[in-house]
Amino acid sequence: MVDRINYNTVLSQVFSPCGNFLAASNTYGDIAVYSLNNVTNPSEVSKSSNGIQHPSHHIRPLEGGNICSLTSTPKFLIAGGIGEIKGQTWDSVTGGKKEKPRFKVLIPAQRERSEQTDVNSLQYNSADERLCAGCGDNNIYIFNLESGKLIRTLSGHTGFIHSINLSENQLVSASEDGTVRLWDMRQTAATNIIKPFENPRLNRPELGKWVGAAALSDDWLLLCGGGPRLSVWHLRSMEVTTVFPMKDLKGVHVAKFHEDRVFAGGAGPHFYQFSLNGQVYGQIPTSASTVYSAELQETPQRILSIAGSSPYIDICTTFNYLDQKLAFALPA
């Protein structure tokens, strides 16, 4: 039997709509649920002997395999696995109730593929209740969440999708094929395509051309990184404005805008915080040798949560240094 206590990889995280709970998924199909009140105000009951917090409980909304991605609506925790997406009410998730998922969405089967595809990245657009799924079959699927019907398929990538990110009706996708594509969600063809590996300032041929993360900010900045170095692009001119100094980061899997800063991590010993012009504001040592997920919120509790190839999740309440660790496993 696999030792889930000492060997674990956390693939995705999401905060509850109220901001008082954190859900984190792993490669074994488990979702650990944490009360952030216990994290920010630890009690002797909720701590183990070494001071590391444990989840209040686990849930398993999918039938097996990886839970590659998580997202949230005001009512549902949504989990993307292999070939399917399921939604469970936050009330049941946070309360530890044994409730069946309220809805299921199936990823369309491809004739040329004999196996089901991973749902690697999920984004929810609250403005029109659309759910976007970036998948291992190179496609992005847009579903009507209320009906579960497929509205649109965004095709064009020739490698699997690592990451998608939304800003109103604009979506950005990062792929194993080395391209970052911009989409108008009302259309089916990409509006712009960039290839970071072709830029000599970004190219790292020893790491490959894949792009592991991409994000949008307002209507004029694009952030992306992977094998190529982490960089900011001006959307209107499609020119690189900043290349970030991350010599010890051998591959970027997480890249996020937050206010006037950039947060990034991947295959390296630190999680970074930068200004938009590339100044290093912070380097947080991580428990994971590779970071695959990071989520942050300002209210009701200020928390940055960093996770990856480790049985622990790192918590930073100041965004500048590591405060404590969460164990993924339930207490013994």
Side-chain angles (χ1 to χ4, degrees):
M1 180 179 293
V2 176
D3 182 353
R4 298 190 186 188
I5 296 177
N6 297 310
Y7 300 96
N8 189 51
T9 298
V10 178
L11 298 176
S12 188
Q13 304 173 85
V14 69
F15 292 108
S16 63
C18 66
N20 291 321
F21 295 89
L22 172 70
S25 68
N26 72 354
T27 53
Y28 303 123
D30 303 309
I31 294 179
V33 182
Y34 303 87
S35 168
L36 297 182
N37 291 324
N38 291 339
V39 171
T40 55
N41 300 291
S43 66
E44 294 305 316
V45 174
S46 62
K47 288 199 292 184
S48 64
S49 59
N50 60 3
I52 295 176
Q53 298 277 344
H54 289 266
S56 58
H57 56 278
H58 282 173
I59 62 172
R60 292 179 62 83
L62 303 180
E63 294 177 2
N66 298 346
I67 298 180
C68 311
S69 51
L70 297 173
T71 193
S72 176
T73 77
K75 185 177 181 180
F76 296 107
L77 169 65
I78 302 176
I82 301 175
E84 63 178 357
I85 301 167
K86 287 186 178 180
Q88 195 159 339
T89 64
W90 273 109
D91 285 344
S92 68
V93 170
T94 59
K97 303 173 185 176
K98 292 185 178 180
E99 178 183 277
K100 292 182 178 180
R102 290 294 183 90
F103 66 83
K104 180 169 75 170
V105 176
L106 295 178
I107 302 302
Q110 304 295 322
R111 291 182 180 179
E112 64 274 14
R113 293 177 62 91
S114 59
E115 56 188 28
Q116 293 179 311
T117 185
D118 293 345
V119 181
N120 293 326
S121 185
L122 286 170
Q123 289 276 288
Y124 173 65
N125 188 345
S126 59
D128 55 10
E129 296 188 343
R130 300 292 191 260
L131 180 66
C132 304
C135 296
D137 62 0
N138 313 340
N139 292 323
I140 302 161
Y141 299 101
I142 302 174
F143 298 94
N144 180 304
L145 195 56
E146 183 176 357
S147 66
K149 291 183 179 179
L150 178 64
I151 298 171
R152 192 168 292 112
T153 300
L154 306 182
S155 300
H157 279 295
T158 58
F160 56 84
I161 311 295
H162 282 289
S163 169
I164 61 173
N165 185 242
L166 275 172
S167 179
E168 296 182 351
N169 280 318
Q170 193 168 34
L171 182 144
V172 63
S173 56
S175 171
E176 184 71 11
D177 65 15
T179 70
V180 176
R181 295 176 184 244
L182 291 159
W183 312 80
D184 184 325
M185 288 177 59
R186 297 161 295 190
Q187 304 174 14
T188 56
T191 57
N192 275 297
I193 302 172
I194 64 170
K195 300 178 181 180
F197 67 93
E198 291 184 347
N199 188 308
R201 296 172 62 194
L202 308 179
N203 189 21
R204 293 190 287 183
E206 72 279 9
L207 299 180
K209 64 181 184 179
W210 58 274
V211 185
L216 291 169
S217 174
D218 299 325
D219 61 350
W220 64 285
L221 284 181
L222 167 67
L223 174 69
C224 62
R229 291 176 176 86
L230 185 71
S231 56
V232 168
W233 297 64
H234 187 271
L235 280 180
R236 294 174 186 170
S237 65
M238 285 296 162
E239 297 291 333
V240 177
T241 62
T242 306
V243 180
F244 293 95
M246 304 165 71
K247 294 181 180 179
D248 67 350
L249 198 60
K250 306 301 182 184
V252 179
H253 296 286
V254 177
K256 293 177 178 289
F257 287 112
H258 180 66
E259 296 177 346
D260 61 347
R261 299 196 177 188
V262 167
F263 291 80
H270 296 98
F271 189 82
Y272 285 88
Q273 185 179 166
F274 296 100
S275 68
L276 288 175
N277 63 10
Q279 179 182 353
V280 179
Y281 283 153
Q283 292 178 243
I284 303 170
T286 59
S287 300
S289 58
T290 299
V291 171
Y292 290 114
S293 171
E295 293 295 328
L296 57 93
Q297 67 173 17
E298 292 281 1
T299 59
Q301 301 166 80
R302 197 166 193 256
I303 288 180
L304 168 63
S305 178
I306 306 165
S309 54
S310 169
Y312 301 107
I313 297 172
D314 297 328
I315 297 295
C316 312
T317 57
T318 65
F319 292 3
N320 293 318
Y321 59 85
L322 177 63
D323 292 305
Q324 61 177 288
K325 295 181 181 180
L326 308 181
F328 195 93
L330 293 170

Short mmCIF file of all heavy atoms in Angstrom, two decimals, residues 80-142:
data_model
loop_
_atom_site.label_atom_id
_atom_site.label_comp_id
_atom_site.label_asym_id
_atom_site.label_seq_id
_atom_site.Cartn_x
_atom_site.Cartn_y
_atom_site.Cartn_z
N GLY A 80 -11.78 18.56 -10.59
CA GLY A 80 -11.51 17.98 -11.90
C GLY A 80 -10.57 16.80 -11.77
O GLY A 80 -9.48 16.93 -11.19
N GLY A 81 -10.97 15.67 -12.31
CA GLY A 81 -10.17 14.46 -12.20
C GLY A 81 -9.79 13.92 -13.57
O GLY A 81 -9.29 14.64 -14.42
N ILE A 82 -10.05 12.66 -13.79
CA ILE A 82 -9.73 12.00 -15.06
C ILE A 82 -11.04 11.76 -15.80
O ILE A 82 -11.84 10.91 -15.41
CB ILE A 82 -8.98 10.68 -14.81
CG1 ILE A 82 -7.68 10.96 -14.05
CG2 ILE A 82 -8.68 9.98 -16.14
CD1 ILE A 82 -6.93 9.71 -13.64
N GLY A 83 -11.27 12.56 -16.83
CA GLY A 83 -12.45 12.40 -17.67
C GLY A 83 -13.73 12.98 -17.11
O GLY A 83 -14.77 12.91 -17.76
N GLU A 84 -13.68 13.57 -15.91
CA GLU A 84 -14.92 14.07 -15.32
C GLU A 84 -14.64 15.22 -14.35
O GLU A 84 -13.53 15.39 -13.84
CB GLU A 84 -15.65 12.95 -14.58
CG GLU A 84 -14.89 12.37 -13.39
CD GLU A 84 -15.68 11.29 -12.66
OE1 GLU A 84 -16.82 11.02 -13.03
OE2 GLU A 84 -15.11 10.72 -11.71
N ILE A 85 -15.70 15.99 -14.12
CA ILE A 85 -15.69 17.09 -13.16
C ILE A 85 -16.91 16.90 -12.27
O ILE A 85 -18.01 16.63 -12.76
CB ILE A 85 -15.79 18.45 -13.89
CG1 ILE A 85 -14.62 18.64 -14.86
CG2 ILE A 85 -15.85 19.60 -12.89
CD1 ILE A 85 -14.81 19.79 -15.83
N LYS A 86 -16.72 17.05 -10.95
CA LYS A 86 -17.84 16.90 -10.04
C LYS A 86 -17.90 18.08 -9.09
O LYS A 86 -16.87 18.67 -8.72
CB LYS A 86 -17.74 15.59 -9.24
CG LYS A 86 -18.04 14.35 -10.08
CD LYS A 86 -18.07 13.10 -9.22
CE LYS A 86 -18.42 11.87 -10.05
NZ LYS A 86 -18.45 10.63 -9.23
N GLY A 87 -19.13 18.41 -8.67
CA GLY A 87 -19.35 19.50 -7.75
C GLY A 87 -20.05 19.03 -6.49
O GLY A 87 -21.01 18.24 -6.55
N GLN A 88 -19.56 19.48 -5.35
CA GLN A 88 -20.13 19.13 -4.06
C GLN A 88 -20.37 20.42 -3.27
O GLN A 88 -19.57 21.36 -3.34
CB GLN A 88 -19.15 18.22 -3.30
CG GLN A 88 -19.75 17.50 -2.12
CD GLN A 88 -18.94 16.27 -1.74
OE1 GLN A 88 -18.18 15.74 -2.54
NE2 GLN A 88 -19.10 15.80 -0.52
N THR A 89 -21.46 20.49 -2.52
CA THR A 89 -21.77 21.72 -1.79
C THR A 89 -20.70 22.00 -0.74
O THR A 89 -20.20 21.09 -0.08
CB THR A 89 -23.15 21.64 -1.11
OG1 THR A 89 -23.13 20.62 -0.11
CG2 THR A 89 -24.25 21.37 -2.12
N TRP A 90 -20.40 23.27 -0.58
CA TRP A 90 -19.43 23.65 0.44
C TRP A 90 -19.94 23.31 1.84
O TRP A 90 -19.17 23.01 2.74
CB TRP A 90 -19.11 25.14 0.34
CG TRP A 90 -18.00 25.45 -0.61
CD1 TRP A 90 -18.08 26.06 -1.83
CD2 TRP A 90 -16.60 25.16 -0.42
NE1 TRP A 90 -16.85 26.17 -2.41
CE2 TRP A 90 -15.93 25.64 -1.57
CE3 TRP A 90 -15.87 24.56 0.60
CZ2 TRP A 90 -14.54 25.51 -1.71
CZ3 TRP A 90 -14.50 24.44 0.46
CH2 TRP A 90 -13.84 24.92 -0.68
N ASP A 91 -21.26 23.35 2.03
CA ASP A 91 -21.81 22.99 3.34
C ASP A 91 -21.44 21.57 3.71
O ASP A 91 -21.07 21.29 4.86
CB ASP A 91 -23.34 23.13 3.33
CG ASP A 91 -23.79 24.58 3.39
OD1 ASP A 91 -22.95 25.44 3.73
OD2 ASP A 91 -24.97 24.85 3.09
N SER A 92 -21.53 20.65 2.74
CA SER A 92 -21.17 19.25 3.03
C SER A 92 -19.67 19.09 3.16
O SER A 92 -19.18 18.31 3.98
CB SER A 92 -21.72 18.33 1.95
OG SER A 92 -21.05 18.53 0.71
N VAL A 93 -18.90 19.84 2.36
CA VAL A 93 -17.44 19.74 2.39
C VAL A 93 -16.90 20.21 3.74
O VAL A 93 -16.10 19.53 4.40
CB VAL A 93 -16.81 20.57 1.26
CG1 VAL A 93 -15.30 20.68 1.43
CG2 VAL A 93 -17.14 19.95 -0.10
N THR A 94 -17.33 21.38 4.17
CA THR A 94 -16.79 21.94 5.41
C THR A 94 -17.37 21.26 6.65
O THR A 94 -16.73 21.22 7.70
CB THR A 94 -17.06 23.45 5.49
OG1 THR A 94 -18.48 23.69 5.41
CG2 THR A 94 -16.37 24.16 4.33
N GLY A 95 -18.59 20.72 6.51
CA GLY A 95 -19.21 20.06 7.65
C GLY A 95 -18.87 18.60 7.79
O GLY A 95 -19.27 17.96 8.77
N GLY A 96 -18.12 18.06 6.83
CA GLY A 96 -17.73 16.66 6.89
C GLY A 96 -18.89 15.70 6.66
O GLY A 96 -18.83 14.54 7.06
N LYS A 97 -19.94 16.18 5.98
CA LYS A 97 -21.10 15.32 5.73
C LYS A 97 -20.81 14.38 4.57
O LYS A 97 -20.19 14.77 3.57
CB LYS A 97 -22.32 16.18 5.39
CG LYS A 97 -22.68 17.19 6.46
CD LYS A 97 -23.80 18.11 5.97
CE LYS A 97 -24.10 19.20 6.98
NZ LYS A 97 -25.11 20.16 6.48
N LYS A 98 -21.27 13.16 4.68
CA LYS A 98 -21.10 12.18 3.60
C LYS A 98 -22.22 12.37 2.59
O LYS A 98 -23.24 11.67 2.61
CB LYS A 98 -21.08 10.76 4.16
CG LYS A 98 -19.84 10.47 5.01
CD LYS A 98 -19.79 9.02 5.45
CE LYS A 98 -18.52 8.74 6.25
NZ LYS A 98 -18.44 7.33 6.69
N GLU A 99 -22.02 13.34 1.71
CA GLU A 99 -23.03 13.67 0.71
C GLU A 99 -22.47 13.39 -0.68
O GLU A 99 -21.31 13.71 -0.97
CB GLU A 99 -23.39 15.15 0.84
CG GLU A 99 -24.39 15.64 -0.18
CD GLU A 99 -24.65 17.13 -0.04
OE1 GLU A 99 -25.48 17.50 0.81
OE2 GLU A 99 -24.01 17.91 -0.75
N LYS A 100 -23.28 12.80 -1.53
CA LYS A 100 -22.85 12.55 -2.90
C LYS A 100 -22.69 13.87 -3.66
O LYS A 100 -23.40 14.84 -3.35
CB LYS A 100 -23.87 11.66 -3.62
CG LYS A 100 -23.94 10.24 -3.08
CD LYS A 100 -24.93 9.41 -3.89
CE LYS A 100 -24.97 7.97 -3.38
NZ LYS A 100 -25.94 7.15 -4.16
N PRO A 101 -21.77 13.92 -4.63
CA PRO A 101 -21.65 15.12 -5.45
C PRO A 101 -22.99 15.51 -6.07
O PRO A 101 -23.77 14.64 -6.47
CB PRO A 101 -20.62 14.72 -6.51
CG PRO A 101 -19.79 13.67 -5.83
CD PRO A 101 -20.75 12.92 -4.96
N ARG A 102 -23.25 16.82 -6.15
CA ARG A 102 -24.52 17.30 -6.65
C ARG A 102 -24.61 17.29 -8.18
O ARG A 102 -25.69 17.26 -8.75
CB ARG A 102 -24.77 18.72 -6.14
CG ARG A 102 -25.05 18.78 -4.64
CD ARG A 102 -26.36 18.10 -4.29
NE ARG A 102 -26.67 18.21 -2.87
CZ ARG A 102 -27.38 19.21 -2.35
NH1 ARG A 102 -27.82 20.19 -3.14
NH2 ARG A 102 -27.62 19.25 -1.06
N PHE A 103 -23.45 17.37 -8.85
CA PHE A 103 -23.50 17.32 -10.32
C PHE A 103 -22.20 16.73 -10.85
O PHE A 103 -21.18 16.70 -10.17
CB PHE A 103 -23.74 18.71 -10.92
CG PHE A 103 -22.62 19.70 -10.72
CD1 PHE A 103 -21.52 19.73 -11.55
CD2 PHE A 103 -22.69 20.62 -9.69
CE1 PHE A 103 -20.50 20.64 -11.37
CE2 PHE A 103 -21.67 21.55 -9.49
CZ PHE A 103 -20.58 21.55 -10.34
N LYS A 104 -22.28 16.23 -12.07
CA LYS A 104 -21.12 15.66 -12.76
C LYS A 104 -21.12 16.13 -14.21
O LYS A 104 -22.17 16.15 -14.86
CB LYS A 104 -21.16 14.13 -12.71
CG LYS A 104 -19.97 13.48 -13.43
CD LYS A 104 -19.87 11.98 -13.14
CE LYS A 104 -20.91 11.18 -13.88
NZ LYS A 104 -20.65 9.72 -13.77
N VAL A 105 -19.96 16.50 -14.69
CA VAL A 105 -19.76 16.90 -16.08
C VAL A 105 -18.71 15.98 -16.68
O VAL A 105 -17.63 15.81 -16.11
CB VAL A 105 -19.31 18.37 -16.20
CG1 VAL A 105 -19.01 18.72 -17.66
CG2 VAL A 105 -20.37 19.31 -15.64
N LEU A 106 -19.02 15.38 -17.81
CA LEU A 106 -18.08 14.47 -18.48
C LEU A 106 -17.32 15.21 -19.58
O LEU A 106 -17.91 15.98 -20.35
CB LEU A 106 -18.83 13.28 -19.08
CG LEU A 106 -19.52 12.34 -18.09
CD1 LEU A 106 -20.26 11.24 -18.84
CD2 LEU A 106 -18.52 11.75 -17.10
N ILE A 107 -16.01 14.97 -19.65
CA ILE A 107 -15.20 15.53 -20.72
C ILE A 107 -15.44 14.71 -21.98
O ILE A 107 -15.43 13.48 -21.95
CB ILE A 107 -13.71 15.49 -20.34
CG1 ILE A 107 -13.47 16.27 -19.04
CG2 ILE A 107 -12.85 16.04 -21.47
CD1 ILE A 107 -13.90 17.71 -19.09
N PRO A 108 -15.70 15.37 -23.12
CA PRO A 108 -15.98 14.63 -24.36
C PRO A 108 -14.86 13.65 -24.71
O PRO A 108 -13.68 13.99 -24.60
CB PRO A 108 -16.10 15.73 -25.41
CG PRO A 108 -16.49 16.96 -24.64
CD PRO A 108 -15.79 16.83 -23.32
N ALA A 109 -15.22 12.46 -25.10
CA ALA A 109 -14.24 11.45 -25.50
C ALA A 109 -13.72 11.75 -26.91
O ALA A 109 -14.47 12.20 -27.78
CB ALA A 109 -14.88 10.07 -25.47
N GLN A 110 -12.45 11.52 -27.12
CA GLN A 110 -11.83 11.71 -28.42
C GLN A 110 -11.62 10.36 -29.09
O GLN A 110 -11.13 9.42 -28.46
CB GLN A 110 -10.48 12.44 -28.27
CG GLN A 110 -10.57 13.77 -27.54
CD GLN A 110 -11.37 14.80 -28.31
OE1 GLN A 110 -11.28 14.87 -29.54
NE2 GLN A 110 -12.16 15.60 -27.60
N ARG A 111 -11.98 10.26 -30.34
CA ARG A 111 -11.88 8.98 -31.04
C ARG A 111 -10.45 8.44 -31.09
O ARG A 111 -10.22 7.24 -30.99
CB ARG A 111 -12.39 9.14 -32.48
CG ARG A 111 -13.89 9.37 -32.57
CD ARG A 111 -14.33 9.47 -34.02
NE ARG A 111 -15.77 9.68 -34.13
CZ ARG A 111 -16.41 9.84 -35.29
NH1 ARG A 111 -15.72 9.78 -36.44
NH2 ARG A 111 -17.71 10.02 -35.31
N GLU A 112 -9.49 9.37 -31.21
CA GLU A 112 -8.10 8.92 -31.36
C GLU A 112 -7.46 8.59 -30.02
O GLU A 112 -6.32 8.13 -29.98
CB GLU A 112 -7.27 9.99 -32.08
CG GLU A 112 -7.14 11.32 -31.35
CD GLU A 112 -8.30 12.27 -31.62
OE1 GLU A 112 -9.33 11.80 -32.16
OE2 GLU A 112 -8.16 13.46 -31.31
N ARG A 113 -8.18 8.81 -28.92
CA ARG A 113 -7.63 8.55 -27.60
C ARG A 113 -8.37 7.37 -26.96
O ARG A 113 -9.59 7.36 -26.88
CB ARG A 113 -7.76 9.77 -26.69
CG ARG A 113 -6.91 10.96 -27.11
CD ARG A 113 -7.18 12.15 -26.19
NE ARG A 113 -6.83 11.85 -24.81
CZ ARG A 113 -5.65 12.09 -24.27
NH1 ARG A 113 -4.68 12.60 -25.00
NH2 ARG A 113 -5.41 11.81 -23.00
N SER A 114 -7.61 6.39 -26.50
CA SER A 114 -8.22 5.22 -25.87
C SER A 114 -8.44 5.41 -24.37
O SER A 114 -9.18 4.65 -23.75
CB SER A 114 -7.34 3.98 -26.09
OG SER A 114 -6.05 4.19 -25.53
N GLU A 115 -7.80 6.44 -23.81
CA GLU A 115 -7.92 6.68 -22.38
C GLU A 115 -8.57 8.03 -22.12
O GLU A 115 -8.55 8.92 -22.97
CB GLU A 115 -6.55 6.62 -21.70
CG GLU A 115 -5.53 7.58 -22.30
CD GLU A 115 -4.14 7.36 -21.74
OE1 GLU A 115 -3.84 6.23 -21.33
OE2 GLU A 115 -3.36 8.34 -21.72
N GLN A 116 -9.14 8.17 -20.94
CA GLN A 116 -9.77 9.43 -20.57
C GLN A 116 -8.71 10.49 -20.29
O GLN A 116 -7.57 10.19 -19.95
CB GLN A 116 -10.65 9.23 -19.34
CG GLN A 116 -11.86 8.35 -19.61
CD GLN A 116 -12.70 8.15 -18.35
OE1 GLN A 116 -12.18 7.82 -17.29
NE2 GLN A 116 -14.00 8.35 -18.47
N THR A 117 -9.13 11.73 -20.42
CA THR A 117 -8.18 12.84 -20.30
C THR A 117 -8.22 13.49 -18.93
O THR A 117 -9.27 13.56 -18.29
CB THR A 117 -8.45 13.89 -21.40
OG1 THR A 117 -7.45 14.89 -21.35
CG2 THR A 117 -9.81 14.53 -21.20
N ASP A 118 -7.08 13.99 -18.48
CA ASP A 118 -7.00 14.71 -17.22
C ASP A 118 -7.57 16.12 -17.37
O ASP A 118 -7.36 16.78 -18.39
CB ASP A 118 -5.54 14.84 -16.75
CG ASP A 118 -4.92 13.51 -16.37
OD1 ASP A 118 -5.67 12.54 -16.19
OD2 ASP A 118 -3.69 13.44 -16.27
N VAL A 119 -8.26 16.56 -16.32
CA VAL A 119 -8.72 17.95 -16.25
C VAL A 119 -7.67 18.69 -15.43
O VAL A 119 -7.70 18.70 -14.20
CB VAL A 119 -10.11 18.05 -15.60
CG1 VAL A 119 -10.59 19.49 -15.57
CG2 VAL A 119 -11.12 17.17 -16.35
N ASN A 120 -6.73 19.34 -16.12
CA ASN A 120 -5.55 19.89 -15.46
C ASN A 120 -5.78 21.25 -14.81
O ASN A 120 -5.05 21.62 -13.89
CB ASN A 120 -4.40 20.00 -16.46
CG ASN A 120 -3.90 18.66 -16.92
OD1 ASN A 120 -3.91 17.69 -16.15
ND2 ASN A 120 -3.48 18.57 -18.17
N SER A 121 -6.75 22.00 -15.30
CA SER A 121 -6.95 23.36 -14.78
C SER A 121 -8.41 23.74 -14.94
O SER A 121 -9.02 23.48 -15.99
CB SER A 121 -6.06 24.34 -15.54
OG SER A 121 -6.13 25.63 -14.99
N LEU A 122 -8.98 24.35 -13.88
CA LEU A 122 -10.38 24.77 -13.89
C LEU A 122 -10.47 26.25 -13.55
O LEU A 122 -9.74 26.75 -12.69
CB LEU A 122 -11.19 23.98 -12.87
CG LEU A 122 -11.54 22.53 -13.18
CD1 LEU A 122 -12.13 21.87 -11.94
CD2 LEU A 122 -12.51 22.43 -14.36
N GLN A 123 -11.38 26.94 -14.23
CA GLN A 123 -11.69 28.33 -13.92
C GLN A 123 -13.20 28.53 -14.01
O GLN A 123 -13.84 28.02 -14.95
CB GLN A 123 -11.00 29.28 -14.89
CG GLN A 123 -9.49 29.37 -14.72
CD GLN A 123 -9.09 30.36 -13.64
OE1 GLN A 123 -9.20 31.57 -13.81
NE2 GLN A 123 -8.61 29.84 -12.53
N TYR A 124 -13.74 29.29 -13.06
CA TYR A 124 -15.17 29.57 -13.04
C TYR A 124 -15.39 31.05 -13.30
O TYR A 124 -14.78 31.91 -12.66
CB TYR A 124 -15.77 29.20 -11.69
CG TYR A 124 -17.22 29.62 -11.52
CD1 TYR A 124 -18.22 29.07 -12.31
CD2 TYR A 124 -17.57 30.58 -10.56
CE1 TYR A 124 -19.55 29.46 -12.15
CE2 TYR A 124 -18.89 30.97 -10.40
CZ TYR A 124 -19.87 30.41 -11.19
OH TYR A 124 -21.18 30.80 -11.03
N ASN A 125 -16.26 31.35 -14.27
CA ASN A 125 -16.62 32.73 -14.60
C ASN A 125 -17.99 33.01 -13.98
O ASN A 125 -19.02 32.54 -14.48
CB ASN A 125 -16.67 32.92 -16.12
CG ASN A 125 -16.85 34.37 -16.52
OD1 ASN A 125 -17.21 35.21 -15.70
ND2 ASN A 125 -16.59 34.67 -17.78
N SER A 126 -17.99 33.76 -12.88
CA SER A 126 -19.23 34.00 -12.16
C SER A 126 -20.19 34.91 -12.93
O SER A 126 -21.40 34.87 -12.69
CB SER A 126 -18.92 34.63 -10.79
OG SER A 126 -18.22 35.84 -10.95
N ALA A 127 -19.66 35.71 -13.86
CA ALA A 127 -20.51 36.65 -14.59
C ALA A 127 -21.57 35.94 -15.42
O ALA A 127 -22.71 36.39 -15.54
CB ALA A 127 -19.66 37.55 -15.48
N ASP A 128 -21.21 34.79 -16.02
CA ASP A 128 -22.16 34.06 -16.86
C ASP A 128 -22.29 32.59 -16.46
O ASP A 128 -22.85 31.79 -17.21
CB ASP A 128 -21.78 34.17 -18.34
CG ASP A 128 -20.37 33.71 -18.62
OD1 ASP A 128 -19.74 33.12 -17.71
OD2 ASP A 128 -19.88 33.94 -19.73
N GLU A 129 -21.77 32.24 -15.29
CA GLU A 129 -21.85 30.87 -14.78
C GLU A 129 -21.29 29.85 -15.76
O GLU A 129 -21.87 28.80 -16.00
CB GLU A 129 -23.29 30.52 -14.39
CG GLU A 129 -23.83 31.36 -13.24
CD GLU A 129 -25.18 30.89 -12.74
OE1 GLU A 129 -25.85 30.13 -13.45
OE2 GLU A 129 -25.53 31.27 -11.61
N ARG A 130 -20.14 30.19 -16.31
CA ARG A 130 -19.44 29.29 -17.21
C ARG A 130 -18.27 28.63 -16.47
O ARG A 130 -17.56 29.27 -15.70
CB ARG A 130 -18.91 30.03 -18.44
CG ARG A 130 -19.98 30.72 -19.29
CD ARG A 130 -20.86 29.71 -19.99
NE ARG A 130 -21.71 30.31 -21.00
CZ ARG A 130 -22.99 30.62 -20.85
NH1 ARG A 130 -23.59 30.37 -19.70
NH2 ARG A 130 -23.69 31.15 -21.84
N LEU A 131 -18.08 27.34 -16.73
CA LEU A 131 -16.96 26.60 -16.17
C LEU A 131 -16.01 26.24 -17.31
O LEU A 131 -16.42 25.63 -18.30
CB LEU A 131 -17.45 25.33 -15.48
CG LEU A 131 -16.37 24.44 -14.84
CD1 LEU A 131 -15.71 25.17 -13.68
CD2 LEU A 131 -16.96 23.11 -14.39
N CYS A 132 -14.74 26.63 -17.17
CA CYS A 132 -13.73 26.37 -18.21
C CYS A 132 -12.77 25.30 -17.71
O CYS A 132 -12.30 25.36 -16.57
CB CYS A 132 -12.96 27.64 -18.54
SG CYS A 132 -14.00 29.02 -19.05
N ALA A 133 -12.48 24.34 -18.55
CA ALA A 133 -11.61 23.21 -18.19
C ALA A 133 -10.49 23.07 -19.21
O ALA A 133 -10.74 22.83 -20.40
CB ALA A 133 -12.42 21.92 -18.11
N GLY A 134 -9.24 23.22 -18.77
CA GLY A 134 -8.08 22.97 -19.61
C GLY A 134 -7.63 21.54 -19.43
O GLY A 134 -7.35 21.11 -18.31
N CYS A 135 -7.55 20.79 -20.52
CA CYS A 135 -7.45 19.32 -20.41
C CYS A 135 -6.22 18.72 -21.09
O CYS A 135 -5.53 19.38 -21.88
CB CYS A 135 -8.72 18.69 -20.99
SG CYS A 135 -10.20 19.11 -20.05
N GLY A 136 -6.03 17.44 -20.79
CA GLY A 136 -4.89 16.71 -21.32
C GLY A 136 -5.03 16.28 -22.76
O GLY A 136 -4.10 15.71 -23.33
N ASP A 137 -6.21 16.53 -23.37
CA ASP A 137 -6.38 16.22 -24.80
C ASP A 137 -6.12 17.44 -25.68
O ASP A 137 -6.52 17.46 -26.83
CB ASP A 137 -7.78 15.65 -25.06
CG ASP A 137 -8.88 16.65 -24.72
OD1 ASP A 137 -8.57 17.77 -24.28
OD2 ASP A 137 -10.07 16.31 -24.90
N ASN A 138 -5.46 18.46 -25.12
CA ASN A 138 -5.06 19.69 -25.81
C ASN A 138 -6.19 20.71 -25.98
O ASN A 138 -5.98 21.76 -26.59
CB ASN A 138 -4.45 19.41 -27.19
CG ASN A 138 -3.42 18.31 -27.19
OD1 ASN A 138 -2.86 17.98 -26.15
ND2 ASN A 138 -3.16 17.72 -28.34
N ASN A 139 -7.36 20.41 -25.45
CA ASN A 139 -8.52 21.29 -25.63
C ASN A 139 -8.92 22.00 -24.35
O ASN A 139 -8.62 21.54 -23.23
CB ASN A 139 -9.73 20.49 -26.12
CG ASN A 139 -9.55 19.95 -27.52
OD1 ASN A 139 -8.97 20.61 -28.38
ND2 ASN A 139 -10.03 18.73 -27.76
N ILE A 140 -9.64 23.11 -24.53
CA ILE A 140 -10.29 23.82 -23.44
C ILE A 140 -11.78 23.72 -23.67
O ILE A 140 -12.28 24.04 -24.76
CB ILE A 140 -9.86 25.29 -23.39
CG1 ILE A 140 -8.34 25.40 -23.24
CG2 ILE A 140 -10.58 26.03 -22.26
CD1 ILE A 140 -7.79 26.75 -23.63
N TYR A 141 -12.51 23.25 -22.67
CA TYR A 141 -13.96 23.08 -22.78
C TYR A 141 -14.67 24.11 -21.90
O TYR A 141 -14.27 24.34 -20.76
CB TYR A 141 -14.37 21.67 -22.37
CG TYR A 141 -13.76 20.59 -23.24
CD1 TYR A 141 -12.66 19.86 -22.80
CD2 TYR A 141 -14.29 20.31 -24.50
CE1 TYR A 141 -12.09 18.88 -23.59
CE2 TYR A 141 -13.72 19.32 -25.31
CZ TYR A 141 -12.63 18.61 -24.85
OH TYR A 141 -12.07 17.64 -25.65
N ILE A 142 -15.73 24.71 -22.46
CA ILE A 142 -16.51 25.68 -21.72
C ILE A 142 -17.92 25.11 -21.54
O ILE A 142 -18.60 24.80 -22.52
CB ILE A 142 -16.57 27.03 -22.45
CG1 ILE A 142 -15.15 27.58 -22.67
CG2 ILE A 142 -17.40 28.04 -21.66
CD1 ILE A 142 -15.10 28.84 -23.50
#
